[in-house]
Amino acid sequence: MIAPILIKNAKCVSSQAIIQQDVLLKDGKIVEIGQIDEKHAEKIIDASHFFLLPGALDPQVHFRDPGMTWKEDLRTGSMAAAAGGVTSFFDMPNTKPSTITLDAMAERKRAAAEKCVVNYNFFIGATNTNLDVLNGVENVPGIKIFMGSSTGDLLVSDTSDLEQIFANGSRLIAVHAEDDDIINAAREIYRNSRDFNHHQFVRPADAALKSTTLAVELAIKYQRRLHILHLTSLDEVRYLEFQKSKAPISAEVCPQHLLLSAPYVYEKLGAYAQMNPPIRDMNHSEALWKGLMDGVIDCIATDHAPHTHEEKAKPFGEAPSGMPGVETSLPLMLDRANRGLCKLEDVVKWMCEKPVELYRVKNKGQIKVGFDADLVLVDMQKEKTIENGKLFTKVNWSPFDGWKTRGWPVKTLVNGQIVFDDGMVNTEVKGREILIDS
Ligand code: DOR
């Protein structure tokens, strides 16, 4: 039994409206919304100064567990999520071993039940030979295909192998879309470079467009649900604008690609700015923002992909790609809303409602009676500086180190329990497996 909590006078945010009301939580669910008598609750939260948002769902993280837990594990990654107002996540299969078998999936879910303080589920990773697993595994958000190689050894790049996956089955396919041949040719050109700014040219925009085009063509041919992970280029936004209606196709963007741009980010951060697909110049970041505002891009994910300081200290060509982000994505977007660049309602649409809708998640993403009590209370006036060394992610750095932003989560609730409060995470709280409508 979880003690009932009454949240009083919160400004409840959906993509459609902001309404000030009370919300009663009982046994992990939202049980009543409106004007509610205090006698119904054991704990009352006065939220008159706060906004109440559905907890965010980050549909792309790499929590490194199992196999690379010196970078992150399910406990620390989920703690970082809780601190950032993210109450649910979908984790990627490039673990060690890769999550490509039924046993590996079962083991991840077992570990998550023990370690996670927020709700979880895991993509099943595609190989050239595990089609039966891709279609046989139960209750997963989707199939992850690395169409271009990145961290780890998962890769399906041959059109005939891809065709097999798209042609068989019906669950959502999420793709890391970068063309390996273009990348390999470009890598040769920059083989002797020591300049991190060249990362964007080693993985050029045409590699992303070529691979996205192939995925979209296959999705149209087989009318398959397709999600393009971490969109990075103007070219892809333009292309998708005219293709999206031809099949159930969606796309996401990361705050890094929206808010950081080349060459400055590489000059300032070196290896810490390196991720795949890469951060490109401002023409791209501006087009991504416009694509998001226009609805060509559906939602926000972080691709939270931590690597240690030691690993990032390696020279260009050897340093790994990836950066953390699950803890800072919502604050960064709240800050955008505070600056008038978008509305708070948009943030809820991109980070709560849309990912839930696209991935067919049951009972989440809205403040609604009967839905799971995954919520985040936000103080839109609170200012704080993102600082390396003061984060919950195990690697304890952020590409946004030094950014002072306004609008921060003050309390996060998972299944009706307070998991993050006043800067602290309660590790006694346990997340649950996220249920997906197949
Ligand atoms: O930069 C990246 N790092 N992109 C990915 O797709 C994978 C990730 C990682 O796992 O390190």
Side-chain angles (χ1 to χ4, degrees):
M1 276 286 281
I2 303 169
I5 297 180
L6 178 59
I7 304 175
K8 282 294 278 178
N9 284 317
K11 296 180 209 63
C12 299
V13 189
S14 74
S15 61
Q16 304 303 313
I18 300 179
I19 304 169
Q20 191 150 20
Q21 50 200 353
D22 309 334
V23 180
L24 182 64
L25 319 177
K26 207 173 163 188
D27 296 332
K29 300 275 177 196
I30 298 169
V31 293
E32 200 180 334
I33 299 173
Q35 280 220 317
I36 304 167
D37 200 300
E38 298 191 359
K39 71 172 188 250
H40 293 295
E42 280 176 33
K43 182 175 172 61
I44 316 254
I45 299 173
D46 174 10
S48 5
H49 299 296
F50 300 134
F51 289 83
L52 186 66
L53 277 54
L57 163 60
D58 188 335
Q60 193 195 171
V61 303
H62 302 260
F63 284 168
R64 311 297 193 200
D65 192 347
M68 289 169 284
T69 50
W70 66 89
K71 299 176 199 269
E72 194 77 282
D73 61 52
L74 285 163
R75 192 180 313 280
T76 54
S78 67
M79 287 170 76
V86 172
T87 53
S88 297
F89 66 84
F90 296 149
D91 199 336
M92 285 294 161
N94 57 336
T95 40
K96 281 188 182 154
S98 301
T99 316
I100 52 176
T101 63
L102 296 181
D103 283 351
M105 178 60 78
E107 177 48 28
R108 291 198 84 186
K109 288 187 176 176
R110 193 205 55 72
E114 191 186 304
K115 297 184 187 174
C116 286
V117 300
V118 303
N119 304 311
Y120 52 85
N121 209 328
F122 301 90
F123 282 91
I124 186 79
T127 69
N128 295 334
T129 55
N130 72 342
L131 194 57
D132 50 339
V133 175
L134 301 183
N135 292 323
V137 66
E138 282 174 19
N139 197 49
V140 298
I143 296 164
K144 165 71 182 277
I145 308 181
F146 281 92
M147 293 174 66
S149 36
S150 188
T151 304
D153 50 17
L154 287 176
L155 180 67
V156 183
S157 53
D158 276 359
T159 306
S160 57
D161 294 327
L162 289 165
E163 189 126 12
Q164 279 298 311
I165 301 173
F166 275 81
N168 294 288
S170 59
R171 60 169 38 118
L172 181 144
I173 295 173
V175 292
H176 178 128
E178 286 186 287
D179 182 81
D180 241 28
D181 292 339
I182 295 180
I183 293 171
N184 289 336
R187 192 172 281 137
E188 264 310 296
I189 298 170
Y190 294 98
R191 193 158 36 105
N192 297 319
S193 168
R194 284 290 174 257
D195 182 353
F196 283 99
N197 187 39
H198 288 153
H199 184 62
Q200 57 175 318
F201 307 124
V202 169
R203 308 185 76 107
D206 50 329
L209 180 63
K210 186 172 173 207
S211 187
T212 289
T213 303
L214 174 58
V216 165
E217 283 172 359
L218 290 171
I220 294 171
K221 182 168 175 190
Y222 295 103
Q223 284 304 301
R224 188 74 187 253
R225 287 164 67 206
L226 170 68
H227 184 71
I228 320 272
L229 300 158
H230 40 37
L231 215 69
T232 55
S233 70
L234 160 77
D235 319 56
E236 288 165 289
V237 175
R238 280 199 186 136
Y239 173 70
L240 283 178
E241 194 178 340
F242 297 101
Q243 302 300 323
K244 264 185 84 189
S245 59
K246 298 180 184 170
I249 297 168
S250 54
E252 69 182 32
V253 64
C254 301
Q256 306 87 293
H257 295 120
L258 288 172
L259 305 179
L260 303 172
S261 56
Y264 320 102
V265 72
Y266 296 101
E267 284 160 12
K268 185 163 173 227
L269 300 178
Y272 293 91
Q274 194 181 306
M275 69 173 291
N276 306 333
I279 294 170
R280 309 186 193 280
D281 68 33
M282 229 188 262
N283 290 321
H284 295 286
S285 54
E286 282 173 1
L288 291 168
W289 183 258
K290 188 169 179 306
L292 183 64
M293 293 299 286
D294 293 348
V296 178
I297 299 174
D298 301 87
C299 66
I300 290 174
T302 64
D303 191 17
H304 178 92
H307 297 283
T308 62
H309 289 298
E310 209 182 350
E311 291 159 341
K312 286 288 192 182
K314 292 180 180 165
F316 181 63
E318 291 171 40
S321 292
M323 52 182 74
V326 73
E327 204 164 341
T328 49
S329 53
L330 183 61
L332 287 164
M333 297 312 291
L334 295 176
D335 187 63
R336 296 275 106 179
N338 259 330
R339 288 168 195 258
L341 296 165
C342 61
K343 294 191 295 183
L344 196 48
E345 292 92 319
D346 294 325
V347 177
V348 166
K349 178 172 72 187
W350 299 326
M351 300 193 69
C352 315
E353 294 181 8
K354 271 287 181 178
V356 158
E357 183 191 316
L358 295 172
Y359 283 100
R360 300 188 181 159
V361 172
K362 286 188 193 168
N363 294 328
K364 295 193 188 295
Q366 291 180 57
I367 303 174
K368 194 168 161 183
V369 170
F371 273 44
D372 296 341
D374 296 337
L375 298 160
V376 52
L377 265 181
V378 159
D379 180 351
M380 285 303 280
Q381 299 312 319
K382 182 172 174 166
E383 273 192 347
K384 207 174 92 177
T385 302
I386 298 168
E387 275 181 83
N388 289 352
K390 295 196 174 165
L391 297 158
F392 284 93
T393 172
K394 206 178 261 188
V395 295
N396 221 336
W397 62 269
S398 162
F400 299 101
D401 174 53
W403 283 42
K404 190 177 189 179
T405 65
R406 193 156 66 89
W408 281 85
V410 287
K411 280 188 193 359
T412 307
L413 294 99
V414 167
N415 302 310
Q417 290 185 284
I418 300 174
V419 62
F420 172 75
D421 193 7
D422 203 17
M424 305 285 282
V425 173
N426 178 2
T427 51
E428 296 298 308
V429 174
K430 296 284 171 249
R432 295 187 192 144
E433 180 174 340
I434 298 164
L435 301 177
I436 311 286
D437 255 332
S438 52

